[in-house]
Amino acid sequence: MMDRQMIIGMHLGNGYGNLPGAWRAPAVDPTSYTSFDAKVRHARAAERGKLQFLFLPDGPSHVGDIENEPPNFNLDVMVTLAAVARETSRIGLVATGSTTFNEPFNLARQFKALDVMSHGRTGWNAVTSSGEDVAANYGKRLPSSPERYGRAHETVQLVQALWGSWGETAWVHDKVTGRFADAEKIAPINLGGEFVASRGPLHIPPSEQGQPVVFHAGGSANALEFAGRWASAVIGAAFTIDDARAQRAAFRLAAERAGRNPDEIKFFAGLMTTIANDRREGLDRRSTLSGRTFPQRASYLGRMLGLRLDPARLDRPLSPEQLSAARPSPGDPRSVHALKIAREGWTLRDVLAHGVIDYHPVIVGPAAEAADHMQKWFEADAVDGFWVSPDIYEDGVDAFVDGVVPILQDRGLFHREYDGATLRGHLGAPTQYGVDPRVTR
């Protein structure tokens, strides 16, 4: 048994899965996009596997191929997690909320109410938003990065101050004396800065974990400083162990600079899975559901490898001449892996089915291969855990829970039971109520 065990979260997206064609899979109800029962079913499967949290990204815009593919996000992340909270008991619930397009008082109220409803299982993925398409939906232009992160710093500090404005022991609810609350422990905060302000107080008492946990997703210099000051967890993206190790070390150093213990911030790399009996079965599954996108993706793959690829030749491998001439693009960290797969002799269709240009590393094949990948990265100190995105939720969550999780448990890499009942407990995040005094000096 290792002294340190990994933490695993699961991406809970649009109700279908990470493949564009997942909604057309035989076992999938095509109306799952609007089904909260489907979201609850997938969440309960993840909880059955003792996963520590669900992660719901959000980007209130759609710029994709709506004619053929569903939007990537939930109808509403907070409504979805409210439904999930009532039907689960241990798994953490992490939702994305933009600091750029939301007012701090609203964010504080929504996330703390969910934290109370879930008995201390809520996390806030505080992000700045980076798309002009999102800004347009709010009738605005996207502010500059310094402005967005300036507002983000103020927003998190203000939200945490609001979370702490109702004191930890303020709620008395004594029926005999008729005293509902200790008014001296409930106070306005009257906090404001260049971008945001609020009088307060927030009218919600603490949950079992005190207040929600702050997450962050981003990798820029501004993101490092932001996460180092405020976040207990980082939702990351890395394609190699070296890249992940460097990112994790940078976030830990940023936490130290902010006066925190670096162990207080956890780094989670993304992992996309197609768990199957063998690789051939997994590749066929992915090709069947996403093959419509392959001609377009072949063009981009060619640019990654410095080649001109003919989309009409998807069922042939790259020629020896092409392989000799191929060079991985220095501007795309996925290129080295893409060339490695191509050199194994797969057809162009199969190379694409390996997910070589997906947003995170993709495992296609037996559960042991996913476990091996996770173990290798974890034991290299590249991650504290993973957030896993199954290809199809309807059977992909169960495939991970019933296939990968037992292997990790047998290797001593993942827990067998929940040790606690709150998200802070799952993450090993320190107790906090209100603003962390170490980072406000």
Side-chain angles (χ1 to χ4, degrees):
M1 179 69 68
M2 294 183 62
D3 292 335
R4 190 170 72 100
Q5 291 184 311
M6 68 178 67
I7 300 167
I8 304 176
M10 191 190 78
H11 173 219
L12 189 65
N14 59 11
Y16 301 117
N18 69 50
L19 293 181
W23 70 278
R24 300 179 62 194
V28 173
D29 180 346
T31 67
S32 291
Y33 178 56
T34 61
S35 171
F36 291 97
D37 289 340
K39 314 298 192 303
V40 167
R41 187 166 62 252
H42 305 150
R44 292 181 71 175
E47 186 172 67
R48 181 172 61 81
K50 315 303 179 185
L51 273 60
Q52 283 94 339
F53 65 91
L54 302 169
F55 168 59
L56 278 67
D58 195 26
S61 176
H62 183 67
V63 294
D65 179 13
I66 196 66
E67 182 78 17
N68 297 286
E69 301 172 12
N72 290 324
F73 302 110
N74 272 266
L75 302 183
D76 183 274
V77 293
M78 300 305 288
V79 173
T80 297
L81 286 184
V84 169
R86 302 296 294 170
E87 299 294 334
T88 56
S89 61
R90 292 294 188 91
I91 196 165
L93 312 170
V94 182
T96 298
S98 172
T99 60
T100 302
F101 300 114
N102 289 294
E103 291 301 319
F105 191 87
N106 290 341
L107 288 166
R109 184 182 188 187
Q110 291 171 339
F111 278 91
K112 197 171 185 190
L114 181 63
D115 202 36
V116 169
M117 174 188 283
S118 65
H119 298 285
R121 293 187 285 135
T122 297
W124 170 31
N125 180 37
V127 300
T128 64
S129 299
S130 59
E132 288 288 0
D133 55 310
V134 176
N137 283 342
Y138 293 92
K140 299 179 180 180
R141 296 296 304 272
L142 191 70
S144 68
S145 181
E147 289 178 305
R148 285 185 287 120
Y149 272 96
R151 179 183 169 98
H153 279 279
E154 289 187 7
T155 296
V156 174
Q157 183 174 347
L158 183 51
V159 165
Q160 290 188 334
L162 286 164
W163 284 342
S165 62
W166 186 298
E168 290 184 86
T169 59
W171 193 21
V172 180
H173 52 79
D174 189 330
K175 294 171 67 174
V176 175
T177 64
R179 192 180 190 209
F180 184 75
D182 185 343
E184 293 184 356
K185 297 179 180 179
I186 303 172
I189 58 168
N190 294 316
L191 188 63
E194 180 182 353
F195 300 97
V196 295
S198 179
R199 181 192 67 181
L202 194 66
H203 56 282
I204 305 174
S207 72
E208 286 81 347
Q209 70 173 354
Q211 67 188 35
V213 181
V214 175
F215 282 57
H216 185 55
S220 66
N222 284 329
L224 282 173
E225 181 189 3
F226 179 84
R229 291 177 67 86
W230 308 112
S232 295
V234 173
I235 297 295
F239 291 94
T240 67
I241 285 179
D242 289 343
D243 182 21
R245 187 190 291 116
Q247 289 190 51
R248 179 174 182 263
F251 281 110
R252 288 171 62 84
L253 183 60
E256 276 193 291
R257 288 197 300 267
R260 301 168 61 200
N261 183 331
D263 291 338
E264 293 179 20
I265 189 168
K266 303 296 192 296
F267 180 77
F268 301 106
L271 179 64
M272 305 173 84
T273 58
T274 294
I275 305 302
N277 292 322
D278 55 49
R279 190 171 302 189
R280 181 71 266 158
E281 178 184 313
L283 293 173
D284 289 344
R285 170 176 166 117
R286 294 176 65 86
S287 293
T288 298
L289 295 175
S290 297
R292 187 189 60 80
T293 68
F294 286 179
Q296 179 183 0
R297 291 188 172 197
S299 298
Y300 184 76
L301 177 63
R303 292 195 293 274
M304 287 171 61
L305 302 181
L307 302 172
R308 292 179 61 88
L309 299 181
D310 184 354
R313 298 168 64 89
L314 290 179
D315 293 311
R316 298 183 185 181
L318 297 183
S319 68
E321 294 76 18
Q322 287 175 311
L323 290 173
S324 178
R327 296 291 184 272
S329 168
D332 193 320
R334 299 168 293 185
S335 300
V336 172
H337 178 65
L339 183 55
K340 173 182 177 294
I341 295 298
R343 284 175 171 163
E344 292 177 0
W346 300 96
T347 67
L348 188 55
R349 185 183 306 278
D350 285 339
V351 171
L352 292 166
H354 275 84
V356 296
I357 61 174
D358 279 12
Y359 298 117
H360 301 280
V362 178
I363 299 296
V364 183
E369 293 186 10
D372 290 345
H373 172 97
M374 297 170 78
Q375 179 173 0
K376 187 175 181 181
W377 283 46
F378 182 70
E379 292 183 344
D381 286 333
V383 297
D384 295 286
F386 298 86
W387 62 281
V388 177
S389 181
D391 57 352
I392 303 171
Y393 291 123
E394 199 60 39
D395 58 0
V397 182
D398 287 327
F400 184 86
V401 164
D402 296 328
V404 182
V405 167
I407 297 173
L408 296 174
Q409 290 171 333
D410 289 344
R411 296 177 183 180
L413 296 166
F414 188 63
H415 67 184
R416 294 186 182 274
E417 295 292 340
Y418 291 111
D419 293 328
T422 69
L423 180 56
R424 286 186 183 276
H426 298 339
L427 298 176
T431 300
Q432 182 180 336
Y433 194 60
V435 180
D436 185 340
R438 297 173 297 176
V439 300
T440 56
R441 60 185 185 276

